[in-house]
């Protein structure tokens, strides 16, 4: 078969690949080349299918245990030196003492994310991912492949252990468009997270972080604040972002970890439940204009704020990434500062201002 990529880089974009292949196929009358190479590149981009687990290092295991139970996660095992809970689809939340000897080095002080496990759709996809990472890969004591991103955050790669869960959002009604007939809308009293949908990182070297995830791991850019932030998804077809990197020169860190819910009813009902249980709102509820998702962020004893969110944009190859100006109103179309009191169901009086919103 003709080497049709001899004049291009390994990480060339899909559009450029299709153009080059089409031209070469036409010149060489090689009818199979386009399909074979397109599928190879499509597999490269879609090798990873989402977050499989997040491992936290914490200072107070008892407080962490209370939080994950209140958050609506499902218990797998509880020991003095390790807590494992999971979402509905089997994505794991693993909590260990901050000084646990088997944890990798932290990228910031205090309670924080210590590792992120990315799932591959099958063994062949996992092998493709590891091949692209090359010598950057090492094998841990647990037999799993690891690498570190430019922040120094430990990344683990495995064939996904998650199971597909189909959400059941409450359909809206509008004049002439009645989806909920003879059925009342729900009042949710406890969230039941479906998955860990995304993680947001502060990049100490933003350009290096963007390049690593797009060029080495094949993530696709969904939207972007040029030079300031990049929303990326690990599959061409999927939720708006699995990863968002924010530029914070010289200071790596975790901005938040986000859990996907069914709909706005569950975001509000779950948030009210957390408020009733005494957990402090960081900001929310509210709505992101970028990704279109409804949100509610909570302070917690695991790490930076954790987020409930729902109703994000679903992207395909036809999605048009936009360049956005970095302004607070592009973080939140609207938001409640200080949250809503779980008992009165009204905004808390004297709610604190939030710095969230990526202000300049």
């Amino acid at each position: 078969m003709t080497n049709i990529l001899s004049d291009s880089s390994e990480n060339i974009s899909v559009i450029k690949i299709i153009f080059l292949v089409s031209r070469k196929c036409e010149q060489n009358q090689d009818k199979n080349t386009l399909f074979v190479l397109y599928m190879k590149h499509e597999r490269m981009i879609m090798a990873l299918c989402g977050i499989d687990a997040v491992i936290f290092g914490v200072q107070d295991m008892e407080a962490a245990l209370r939080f994950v139970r209140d958050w609506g996660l499902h218990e797998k095992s509880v020991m003095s030196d390790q807590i494992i809970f999971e979402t509905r689809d089997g994505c794991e939340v693993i909590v260990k003492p901050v000084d646990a000897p088997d944890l990798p080095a932290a990228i910031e002080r205090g309670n924080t994310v210590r590792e992120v496990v990315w799932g591959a759709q099958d063994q062949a996809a996992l092998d493709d991912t590891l091949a692209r990472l090359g010598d950057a890969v090492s094998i841990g004591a647990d037999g799993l492949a690891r690498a570190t991103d430019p922040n120094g955050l430990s990344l683990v790669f495995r064939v996904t252990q998650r199971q597909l869960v189909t959400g059941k959002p409450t359909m809206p009604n509008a004049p002439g468009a009645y989806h909920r007939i003879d059925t009342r809308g729900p009042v949710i009293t406890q969230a039941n997270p479906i998955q860990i949908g995304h993680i947001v990182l502060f990049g100490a070297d933003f350009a290096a972080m963007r390049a690593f995830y797009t060029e080495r791991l094949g993530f696709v850019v969904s939207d972007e604040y040029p030079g300031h932030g990049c929303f990326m998804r690990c599959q061409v077809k999927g939720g708006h972002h699995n990863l968002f990197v924010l530029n914070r020169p010289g200071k790596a860190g975790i901005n938040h970890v986000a859990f996907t819910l069914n709909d706005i009813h569950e975001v509000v009902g779950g948030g009210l439940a957390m408020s009733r249980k005494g957990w402090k709102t960081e900001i929310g509820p509210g709505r992101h204009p970028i990704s279109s998702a409804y949100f509610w962020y909570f302070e917690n004893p695991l790490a930076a704020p954790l987020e409930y969110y729902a109703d994000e944009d679903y992207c395909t190859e036809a999605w048009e990434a936009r360049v956005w100006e970095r302004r607070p109103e592009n973080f939140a179309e609207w938001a409640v500062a200080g949250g809503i009191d779980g008992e009165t169901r009204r905004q808390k009086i004297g709610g604190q201002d939030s710095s969230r919103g990526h202000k300049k």
Side-chain angles (χ1 to χ4, degrees), residues 241-292:
H241 59 283
N242 306 103
L243 174 70
F244 179 34
V245 177
L246 280 164
N247 189 8
R248 192 168 72 174
K251 192 176 181 182
I254 309 299
N255 180 276
H256 72 269
V257 179
F259 292 74
T260 314
L261 305 182
N262 269 307
D263 55 26
I264 187 174
H265 301 288
E266 193 174 10
V267 170
V268 173
L272 287 172
M274 293 299 288
S275 182
R276 283 195 300 274
K277 293 168 184 175
W279 298 106
K280 185 179 180 181
T281 293
E282 201 262 357
I283 190 171
R287 182 178 181 271
H288 295 303
I290 303 176
S291 86
S292 307

Side-chain angles (χ1 to χ4, degrees), residues 83-130:
I83 297 167
I84 304 178
F85 277 63
E86 64 182 8
T87 59
R88 288 173 56 194
D89 74 347
C91 184
E92 293 177 315
V93 172
I94 301 172
V95 185
K96 299 184 179 186
V98 69
D99 57 356
D102 59 341
L103 284 177
I107 64 171
E108 60 184 352
R109 294 179 179 177
N111 302 326
T112 192
V113 173
R114 300 292 282 271
E115 283 192 307
V116 178
V117 181
W118 291 95
Q121 57 189 359
D122 54 33
Q123 186 61 48
L126 177 61
D127 292 342
D128 286 347
T129 297
L130 301 183

Side-chain angles (χ1 to χ4, degrees), residues 178-197:
Y178 301 105
H179 304 286
R180 197 181 68 254
I181 300 173
D182 299 327
T183 302
R184 301 181 194 278
V187 176
I188 305 296
T189 58
Q190 173 66 60
N192 188 3
I194 297 171
Q195 62 185 14
I196 296 180

Side-chain angles (χ1 to χ4, degrees), residues 131-153:
R132 292 199 305 277
L133 291 170
D135 293 341
V137 175
S138 62
I139 304 300
D142 55 5
L144 296 177
R146 283 173 166 78
T148 57
D149 71 11
N151 262 357
L153 179 64

Side-chain angles (χ1 to χ4, degrees), residues 63-84:
L65 177 59
R66 184 168 74 87
F67 183 88
V68 295
R69 283 176 170 160
D70 288 349
W71 195 242
L73 301 175
H74 302 270
E75 183 175 324
K76 290 187 70 176
S77 67
V78 176
M79 297 179 288
S80 60
D81 61 349
Q82 180 173 269
I83 297 167
I84 304 178

Side-chain angles (χ1 to χ4, degrees), residues 265-320:
H265 301 288
E266 193 174 10
V267 170
V268 173
L272 287 172
M274 293 299 288
S275 182
R276 283 195 300 274
K277 293 168 184 175
W279 298 106
K280 185 179 180 181
T281 293
E282 201 262 357
I283 190 171
R287 182 178 181 271
H288 295 303
I290 303 176
S291 86
S292 307
Y294 296 98
F295 65 79
W296 198 330
Y297 294 82
F298 280 88
E299 297 180 6
N300 64 89
L302 275 69
L306 298 190
E307 177 191 13
Y308 284 145
Y309 80 103
D311 198 18
E312 70 173 330
D313 296 321
Y314 184 85
C315 305
T316 72
E317 60 278 357
W319 175 263
E320 296 183 6

